[in-house]
């Protein structure tokens, strides 16, 4: 690579990084969502159930001003992280969590980049430049960092999952599932996809054991039944505030609200995507069994095929569409930027449509404000419906890519026989 070419690549990356720093570094403002975890860790340290009404009352006394935590909606498996962060004063823990989030995002990008470079076996640099620029310029990235969201950690889980599935690394897959199950409704489709592959059962079982062990300190001292019941009751109140109502969420729940006017389909949508993930994995597994038998016997599945790459793209897009998320949570689809750019033929209709969908998602607030494509009921996150339409387009394009990569060639081969 010449010095001029390197400079050509470094300039947009540096500008994107500078933009991200400018949008997120503000010592005067604290995180929002991180408060919920930190305060839960504080109550756990005192032997208090954070899923009880005590949480809101104590939080009102502890925090002054706005954005006072009202409930703990994260599962008990967050105990180690929440308890560890609560050992520090809130202001210090707040900054530490921001730093961790930044590291999670960078690590996720590196993991996916190295994975695709190994699979595609090319030295093209521009896909990684595209990834870095969209990462820095994306609205979900800035919001996730400034709000102290959990999405960067989930992004790391998605990146590890992609590497584990495509390259057959059980350790990566196990760590990925532990992270993704911190948000069970998002992690469930990924877990079921892995369950359908017998070679990944050790990773799934190991991840399950780790998740249970992480939750035990939050469950046993306060009573398993008591904690689970209060947690379920808390989840029932989650959608009672405007920020968690369908107009301010994305995906199928948002479109069903504006279309047929159907509410309360969260569980149905999650079950559907989980069933589809399991069925897709079972179909792929049956066809790969003979081809990979020798490699599996040695404890390694080997480099992923084009079919697996297409399948994981569809899985990520479908999960993001069916699971109720906010616009800032959509950072979890970031790996699809690199996968689409790193295709052997990147300038196909599918790749271009994928990147177009992702561009809308990563600048959705600005596009909504400029175009005026907002809904009056979007009282918190402008552009949620526009993001939902972009997600729908992403699902359609990745589904088409999976069909052309995995289904159509097999059908053609069967007809020839």
């Amino acid at each position: 690579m010449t010095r001029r070419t390197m400079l050509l690549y470094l300039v947009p990356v540096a500008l994107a990084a500078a933009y991200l720093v400018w949008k997120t570094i503000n010592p005067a403002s604290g995180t929002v969502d991180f408060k919920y975890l930190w305060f839960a860790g504080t109550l756990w340290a005192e032997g208090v159930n954070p899923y009880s009404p005590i949480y809101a009352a104590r939080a009102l006394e502890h925090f002054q001003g706005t954005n006072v935590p009202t409930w703990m909606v994260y599962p008990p498996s967050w105990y180690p992280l929440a308890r560890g962060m609560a050992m520090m004063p809130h202001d210090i823990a707040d900054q530490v969590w921001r730093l961790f989030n930044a590291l999670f995002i960078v690590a996720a990008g590196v993991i996916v980049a190295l994975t695709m470079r190994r699979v595609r076996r090319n030295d093209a640099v521009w896909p990684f430049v595209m990834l870095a620029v969209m990462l820095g310029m994306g609205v979900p990235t800035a919001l996730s960092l400034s709000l102290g969201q959990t999405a960067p950690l989930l992004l790391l889980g998605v990146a590890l999952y992609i590497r584990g599935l495509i390259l057959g690394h059980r350790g990566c897959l196990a760590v990925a599932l532990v992270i993704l199950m911190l948000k069970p409704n998002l992690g469930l489709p990924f877990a079921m996809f892995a369950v359908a592959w017998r070679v990944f059962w050790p990773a799934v079982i190991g991840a399950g054991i780790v998740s249970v062990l992480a939750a035990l300190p939050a469950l046993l001292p306060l009573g398993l039944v008591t904690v689970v019941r209060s947690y379920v009751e808390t989840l029932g109140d989650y959608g009672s505030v405007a920020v968690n109502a369908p107009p301010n969420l994305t995906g199928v729940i948002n479109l069903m609200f504006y279309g047929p006017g159907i509410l309360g389909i969260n569980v149905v949508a999650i079950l559907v995507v989980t069933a589809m993930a399991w069925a897709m994995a079972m179909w792929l597994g049956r066809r790969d069994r003979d081809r990979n038998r020798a490699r599996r016997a040695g404890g390694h599945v080997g480099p992923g095929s084009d079919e697996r790459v297409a399948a994981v793209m569809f899985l990520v897009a479908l999960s993001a569409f069916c699971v109720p998320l906010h616009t800032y949570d959509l950072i979890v689809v970031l790996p699809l930027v690199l996968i689409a750019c790193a295709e052997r033929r990147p300038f196909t209709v599918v790749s271009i449509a994928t990147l177009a969908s992702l561009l809308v998602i990563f600048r959705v607030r600005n596009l909504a404000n400029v175009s005026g494509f907002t809904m009056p009921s979007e009282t918190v996150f402008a552009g949620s419906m526009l993001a939902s339409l972009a997600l729908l387009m992403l699902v359609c394009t990745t589904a088409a890519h999976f069909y052309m990569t995995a289904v159509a060639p097999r059908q053609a081969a069967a007809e020839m026989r």
Side-chain angles (χ1 to χ4, degrees):
M1 182 187 300
T2 65
R3 187 173 301 177
R4 182 177 179 180
T5 304
M6 185 179 296
L7 182 64
L8 202 64
Y9 285 144
L10 287 177
V11 168
V13 173
L15 291 175
Y19 174 83
L20 184 60
V21 171
W22 172 59
K23 294 294 288 186
T24 58
I25 299 300
N26 183 3
S29 66
T31 57
V32 177
D33 294 65
F34 174 68
K35 289 180 181 178
Y36 289 72
L37 285 169
W38 181 89
F39 194 65
T42 302
L43 294 184
W44 269 322
E46 299 175 4
V48 177
N49 181 10
Y51 301 111
S52 67
I54 298 175
Y55 182 93
R58 291 281 301 276
L60 194 60
E61 297 174 1
H62 188 278
F63 293 99
Q64 303 296 322
T66 59
N67 298 320
V68 177
T70 52
W71 51 58
M72 171 63 173
V73 295
Y74 299 98
S77 53
W78 277 94
Y79 179 93
L81 273 173
R83 181 68 186 87
M85 286 294 182
M87 296 175 68
M88 295 178 280
H90 176 262
D91 291 343
I92 296 176
D94 180 279
Q95 298 303 318
V96 170
W97 183 249
R98 289 176 192 252
L99 176 61
F100 279 166
N101 275 350
L103 294 176
F104 294 152
I105 293 172
V106 173
V110 170
I111 289 169
V112 179
L114 293 177
T115 302
M116 295 309 300
R117 188 161 191 168
R118 177 175 172 183
V119 170
R120 295 308 182 210
R121 299 187 182 279
N122 61 50
D123 296 323
V125 177
W126 74 268
F128 311 118
V129 175
M130 174 74 79
L131 172 71
V133 170
M134 289 190 69
L135 174 66
M137 299 294 290
V139 171
T141 311
L143 282 175
S144 294
L145 290 175
S146 60
L147 294 177
Q149 243 294 320
T150 58
L153 180 56
L154 297 173
L155 168 64
L156 178 62
V158 171
L160 287 168
Y161 188 92
I162 289 172
R163 184 171 183 82
L165 181 72
I166 292 177
L167 299 183
H169 290 174
R170 295 172 182 167
C172 284
L173 198 70
V175 175
L177 290 175
V178 170
I179 295 174
L180 290 172
M181 288 308 294
L182 292 172
K183 191 178 179 71
N185 53 356
L186 180 64
L188 189 59
F190 290 91
M192 287 304 296
F193 189 91
V195 165
W197 303 75
R198 184 175 300 178
V199 69
F200 291 132
W201 284 3
V204 176
I205 294 171
I209 292 173
V210 171
S211 297
V212 171
L213 291 176
L216 285 181
L219 296 172
L220 297 183
L222 301 171
L224 176 63
V225 175
T226 301
V227 174
V228 171
R229 182 189 296 120
S230 56
Y231 174 54
V232 172
E233 291 174 354
T234 300
L235 290 180
D237 296 331
Y238 180 74
S240 61
V241 294
V243 68
N244 298 321
N248 291 304
L249 296 173
T250 61
V252 64
I253 186 174
N254 180 275
L255 295 181
M256 294 298 283
F257 172 80
Y258 287 115
I262 300 175
L263 300 175
I265 63 168
N266 298 19
V267 175
V268 175
I270 294 168
L271 291 176
V272 168
V273 67
T274 301
M276 290 182 66
W278 181 83
M280 181 169 60
M282 288 293 291
W283 184 74
L284 286 171
R286 282 198 301 269
R287 295 182 24 217
D288 284 351
R289 190 170 293 116
D290 293 336
R291 184 175 58 189
N292 290 330
R293 182 175 294 137
R295 282 177 278 186
R296 286 203 304 269
H300 189 269
V301 179
S305 64
D306 290 345
E307 294 176 356
R308 274 196 207 177
V309 174
V312 80
M313 287 183 70
F314 183 41
L315 176 64
V316 171
L318 189 63
S319 299
F321 180 68
C322 291
V323 176
L325 300 173
H326 296 100
T327 52
Y328 54 72
D329 291 317
L330 297 182
I331 191 175
V332 297
V333 301
L334 175 71
L336 299 187
V337 176
L338 185 57
I339 297 176
C341 291
E343 286 293 321
R344 291 190 175 91
R345 293 183 300 159
F347 300 109
T348 62
V349 174
V350 170
S351 296
I352 293 172
T354 299
L355 289 175
S357 303
L358 294 168
L359 283 170
V360 172
I361 290 170
F362 277 84
R363 298 305 305 174
V364 67
R365 176 186 289 182
N366 303 86
L367 290 172
N369 291 332
V370 170
S371 65
F373 193 80
T374 59
M375 307 298 289
S377 51
E378 294 174 351
T379 56
V380 182
F381 297 109
S384 293
M385 185 179 182
L386 183 59
S388 300
L389 292 173
L391 279 174
L392 178 59
M393 180 178 174
L394 189 63
V395 170
C396 293
T397 53
T398 53
H401 180 52
F402 177 72
Y403 176 81
M404 291 185 293
T405 303
V407 180
R410 294 290 176 173
Q411 289 180 342
E415 290 175 359
M416 290 180 64
R417 287 196 298 266

